[in-house]
Amino acid sequence: MPVLAAALVAGALALAGCSGSAILPAPDLPTTPVILDETAAAAAISRYRASRGLGPVVVDSSLIRAASLQAEANARAGYLSHEVGGTFDARIKRAGFGGRYAAENLSAGSATFDEVLKRWKVSPEHNRNMLMPQVKRVGIARVDAPGSRYKRFWALILSDG
């Protein structure tokens, strides 16, 4: 039974966010970018931040592109990894951000933004990222990989400027 429990915990972590192994081969799955209402997503994050006494965030098109590239890299690989699209530091610099504060939330499996936001809120590390006081800009993306285990891959990038 302990092995089964460990497998269940590992599966839950993979669905919740920052799990995945860079050792797994990338299957290069077919993907489809999904058009999101990024403004509504930023408003939802801003409302959540306001409920904690923090300032709002605005959508940044460069961060949307960076989030889209990472969501696509994860979807093509079929698993979650912050490294599959290159290191976060390199990716955020390519997006044109050199600020002191930046973070990334990943997730897989959630059908809607509301679902993924709920998951990020209950995950201590993801929640901490969304509640960084210095954060001012966000980019959100979802890319679907119907042939993968999780079907949907999400990326949120937050930055101070």
Side-chain angles (χ1 to χ4, degrees), residues 6-160:
L8 290 174
V9 169
L13 288 174
L15 285 176
C18 295
S19 180
S21 170
I23 315 172
L24 297 174
D28 200 26
L29 296 167
T31 62
T32 305
V34 175
I35 297 174
L36 299 176
D37 185 344
E38 293 95 354
T39 303
I45 294 168
S46 292
R47 283 190 301 277
Y48 179 55
R49 288 172 55 82
S51 74
R52 304 297 192 274
L54 299 169
V57 295
V58 296
V59 174
D60 184 280
S61 60
S62 294
L63 291 179
I64 290 172
R65 281 192 298 280
S68 296
L69 290 171
Q70 189 61 12
E72 170 114 17
N74 279 269
R76 284 193 183 284
Y79 62 91
L80 288 176
S81 169
H82 288 282
E83 304 299 317
V84 74
T87 68
F88 179 66
D89 289 342
R91 290 185 288 107
I92 199 80
K93 284 181 185 172
R94 274 196 309 268
F97 287 85
R100 294 184 54 190
Y101 299 94
E104 176 176 73
N105 286 359
L106 300 177
S107 190
S110 296
T112 66
F113 177 75
D114 289 338
E115 287 178 22
V116 78
L117 183 60
K118 286 177 189 174
R119 286 181 175 185
W120 286 333
K121 286 178 181 180
V122 298
S123 165
E125 290 179 16
H126 295 106
N127 191 55
R128 188 171 31 255
N129 289 344
M130 291 191 302
L131 297 178
M132 282 194 306
Q134 300 86 355
V135 165
K136 306 268 187 262
R137 300 181 178 286
V138 297
I140 179 85
R142 179 181 130 193
V143 174
D144 290 353
S148 73
R149 175 181 176 189
Y150 301 112
K151 311 291 186 229
R152 296 168 192 92
F153 292 81
W154 296 85
L156 170 67
I157 299 180
L158 310 106
S159 177
D160 64 337

